[in-house]
Amino acid sequence: MLSSLLKEHQAKQAARREIQEKRRRELSASATSFTHGLVEHLNSGVSHAYHNQKKLDAEAKQLQAHAAQFTKQTMQWLQMVEGFNQALKEIGDVENWAKSIETDMRTISSALEYAYKDQAPRT
């Protein structure tokens, strides 16, 4: 009787141990699965952020290149406008010079006419 109780007790303990071991394996597998799922989810977010950062970097480089090109083109336009202003100033200077020459020529012409008129009656 005592031996049968002992065997029964040992059988129950063995069954409990087996159930506990089975539960431990299931818990371990479940924890591993959960950990992998969590890591995958976190990696997905990190990967998305990394790709967004790469896109931002590429767009920033493109914007910087466009800004440099715009600056260069603006400088060229400023040089062209400055050249145009200089040409206008030169045209203004030439116009003033021409008016001055014209005035001088009229003065000389008037003086010659006056001198010619004064000499014509004497002869």
Side-chain angles (χ1 to χ4, degrees):
M1 173 152 142
L2 193 56
S3 74
S4 67
L5 281 177
L6 180 63
K7 286 183 183 183
E8 188 180 320
H9 176 68
Q10 287 176 346
K12 285 182 182 178
Q13 277 188 335
R16 283 187 197 147
R17 280 188 204 127
E18 197 167 313
I19 291 172
Q20 279 185 329
E21 186 62 33
K22 181 181 174 186
R23 287 180 182 168
R24 189 180 352 237
R25 283 182 289 202
E26 288 174 356
L27 177 66
S28 177
S30 177
T32 301
S33 175
F34 174 74
T35 303
H36 284 301
L38 186 62
V39 167
E40 285 296 320
H41 178 69
L42 291 175
N43 283 344
S44 154
V46 169
S47 175
H48 186 67
Y50 176 75
H51 282 81
N52 285 345
Q53 184 64 38
K54 284 183 78 171
K55 286 180 185 177
L56 285 173
D57 288 345
E59 288 179 13
K61 285 180 183 179
Q62 186 179 20
L63 179 62
Q64 187 177 16
H66 286 172
Q69 182 181 7
F70 179 70
T71 301
K72 183 180 177 182
Q73 188 175 22
T74 302
M75 293 303 292
Q76 289 174 343
W77 288 346
L78 286 173
Q79 288 174 352
M80 284 178 20
V81 168
E82 184 63 33
F84 182 68
N85 280 341
Q86 187 63 31
L88 285 178
K89 285 179 185 178
E90 290 173 4
I91 288 173
D93 290 345
V94 168
E95 186 178 359
N96 286 336
W97 175 78
K99 286 181 182 179
S100 176
I101 294 292
E102 184 179 1
T103 304
D104 290 347
M105 294 303 274
R106 287 182 192 211
T107 303
I108 292 170
S109 176
S110 295
L112 286 174
E113 284 178 17
Y114 182 74
Y116 182 70
K117 285 181 185 178
D118 283 347
Q119 288 181 355
R122 289 186 194 166
T123 32

